Amino acid sequence: LKTIVSDIEIPCAFGPAYEGERVRGADLYAQCGGGKTQCTELVKMAEMNDIEDGKVIVDGPDVEDLKEGDTFPMGIYIQVAGREFQSDFEPILERQIHHLINYIQGIMHIGQRDISWVRISKAAIEKGFTLKDIGVVLHAKFHQDFGKILDKVQVTLKTKKADVDELTKRARAEYKMRDERVEKMTDEDVEVFYSCTLCQSFAPNHVCSVSPERTGLCGAYNWMDCKASYEINPTGPNQPIEKGECIDPVLGQWKGVNDFVYKASRGAVTHYNFYSMVTDPMTTCGCCECIAAMLPSCNGVMTVNRDYAGETPCGMKFTTLAGVMGGGASSPGFVGHSKFNITQKKFIKGDGGLARMVWMPKILKEEIKERLERFGKENGIDNFYDMIADETVGITEEEILPYLQEKGHPALSMDPLIG
Ligand code: SF4
Ligand code: ZN
């Protein structure tokens, strides 16, 4: 017997109308994530008998234990069971958390995976909002939207730091496994890419095209995930795109993709390249994990991740870049991308590839260290990891250039970045 959920019983109004609403400083009561504390999301498949449908557990302090201005850590752990359910569907459900929490009036959600950010407004608190309501919403909407593939949903909201850290560790291992599922595939291997238009509610013209070698810029959807999403919901936000004739193999442009993007962006975007940030790059929405920018005096590029709050050599912090670039336009010289994409083989291949990378925040460099080192080895660049400058070297082009020269960074001897 399928559970039918018609009404969502929470004290706040709920619906797509509230999705774009912001919770600004003056309205803010409390928040978690966003670089202040850890906020992590994980959906996992469970055995039918191990979970109870509709159960929401708040494990740790709830909002009544917070005072105005407080921050708290949170782990959103959702267990799903169903005869039709497969672990391939986990990332798809997980990516819904973003818009579903945003549907609650007075609550704002940004990001995904282990870089989420939830802001709770004073107005929501006055109405009686508690963390349990997040679980109520996710349970109800998962049944409503994915009833075909699931029978039971149980939500645990963890707010004790040690538990959140433990969940985060486990979630990172899961993300890594999902990312690596496309590791051995190439864009040439497949005839079909997938679109993702999940973000059009925020960035109306934005269309992500997801290929094996270019995961979605939010980092949460790769080619396999989009394929699974299309199987679950053939009229949903992930549609197959026949690549069609290849217009430019180096920059990564296909006729079939252009035609699709033109339609899906309602004529706003006529074409874009998968493998270039300099020449007509893919469009960027506000969810991107990282934004790459050109550093002309270093003949190279930099990238900055959402979790780094400091200054960067392009003169803009992540938040400024996301504000300028995140509206769904193609902005030559800049592109949003996932962390995993940095070390995928086609990353900015049309601009010379990853060997162009001259600056990254230290935390990002460390996070993908193993993969950067592998890239160096495979491409005959000794010490590539060490050659990439970070904020400890400098945060302007003038500061990092001598370091790049001293290390003999390959970007300095490449063709000019801009022709
Ligand atoms: Fe989809 Fe792209 Fe939005 Fe990720 S960033 S949810 S891939 S549209
Ligand atoms: Zn987005």
Side-chain angles (χ1 to χ4, degrees), residues 191-195 223 226-227 230-231 233-234 236-243 256 260:
E191 285 314 311
V192 166
F193 296 157
Y194 287 91
S195 65
W223 185 87
C226 292
K227 184 168 180 278
Y230 173 67
E231 279 159 19
N233 182 6
N238 302 104
Q239 293 295 314
I241 310 175
E242 291 280 343
K243 289 195 292 190
F260 186 97

Side-chain angles (χ1 to χ4, degrees), residues 1-292:
L1 202 78
K2 295 270 180 196
T3 315
I4 311 278
V5 186
S6 48
D7 272 317
I8 294 170
E9 284 175 38
I10 59 168
C12 307
F14 180 86
Y18 306 108
E19 191 177 6
E21 166 207 56
R22 320 293 289 180
V23 174
R24 293 181 206 285
D27 314 322
L28 180 68
Y29 185 78
Q31 58 182 323
C32 65
K36 289 156 189 80
T37 58
Q38 184 62 42
C39 182
T40 301
E41 301 168 349
L42 182 66
V43 170
K44 278 302 293 171
M45 182 163 117
E47 289 296 330
M48 249 336 180
N49 295 325
D50 290 352
I51 60 170
E52 192 184 311
D53 185 44
K55 189 167 174 186
V56 178
I57 305 156
V58 178
D59 185 5
D62 202 333
V63 286
E64 65 261 18
D65 305 304
L66 302 170
K67 41 184 204 324
E68 192 178 321
D70 274 355
T71 58
F72 61 101
M74 183 160 68
I76 303 177
Y77 178 51
I78 308 175
Q79 290 165 287
V80 178
R83 265 173 298 271
E84 305 291 315
F85 201 75
Q86 306 169 17
S87 56
D88 290 358
F89 300 159
E90 291 166 354
I92 298 144
L93 295 187
E94 200 176 284
R95 192 67 183 98
Q96 313 299 317
I97 298 173
H98 171 54
H99 71 261
L100 295 179
I101 294 183
N102 265 316
Y103 280 7
I104 310 173
Q105 185 179 24
I107 310 294
M108 180 177 170
H109 182 287
I110 299 172
Q112 59 282 324
R113 287 191 166 187
D114 59 343
I115 54 169
S116 306
W117 185 6
V118 179
R119 287 165 69 86
I120 304 170
S121 69
K122 290 175 192 164
I125 295 290
E126 275 157 27
K127 288 226 169 83
F129 172 86
T130 62
L131 296 182
K132 182 170 187 279
D133 298 322
I134 291 178
V136 171
V137 161
L138 294 173
H139 164 260
K141 288 299 287 179
F142 277 13
H143 270 291
Q144 237 173 43
D145 299 346
F146 296 93
K148 217 171 76 186
I149 54 158
L150 55 81
D151 300 297
K152 288 182 174 182
V153 180
Q154 176 174 313
V155 183
T156 308
L157 299 145
K158 299 169 186 269
T159 58
K160 288 185 252 173
K161 187 173 181 302
D163 294 345
V164 177
D165 290 346
E166 194 189 305
L167 180 76
T168 304
K169 201 171 153 213
R170 179 176 165 205
R172 284 180 182 151
E174 292 285 343
Y175 307 153
K176 187 165 183 273
M177 247 161 52
R178 294 175 190 168
D179 288 348
E180 287 173 357
R181 290 175 64 213
V182 290
E183 187 91 277
K184 291 198 170 61
M185 298 177 66
T186 69
D187 288 356
E188 291 78 22
D189 284 345
V190 298
E191 285 314 311
V192 166
F193 296 157
Y194 287 91
S195 65
C196 189
T197 49
L198 211 57
C199 284
Q200 286 199 339
S201 44
F202 283 103
N205 301 329
H206 175 64
V207 186
C208 270
S209 293
V210 180
S211 69
E213 293 182 279
R214 200 191 192 281
T215 58
L217 52 80
C218 58
Y221 267 23
N222 63 34
W223 185 87
M224 294 286 250
D225 302 329
C226 292
K227 184 168 180 278
S229 166
Y230 173 67
E231 279 159 19
I232 299 173
N233 182 6
T235 56
N238 302 104
Q239 293 295 314
I241 310 175
E242 291 280 343
K243 289 195 292 190
E245 179 202 336
C246 182
I247 296 171
D248 193 322
V250 180
L251 297 174
Q253 194 179 138
W254 292 265
K255 183 159 189 316
V257 176
N258 287 348
D259 291 348
F260 186 97
V261 169
Y262 181 75
K263 259 197 230 132
S265 70
R266 293 164 211 92
V269 183
T270 56
H271 66 286
Y272 59 43
N273 294 315
F274 280 51
Y275 316 140
S276 178
M277 58 169 292
V278 177
T279 317
D280 302 336
M282 208 177 272
T283 58
T284 297
C285 72
C287 306
C288 52
E289 280 187 306
C290 307
I291 299 178

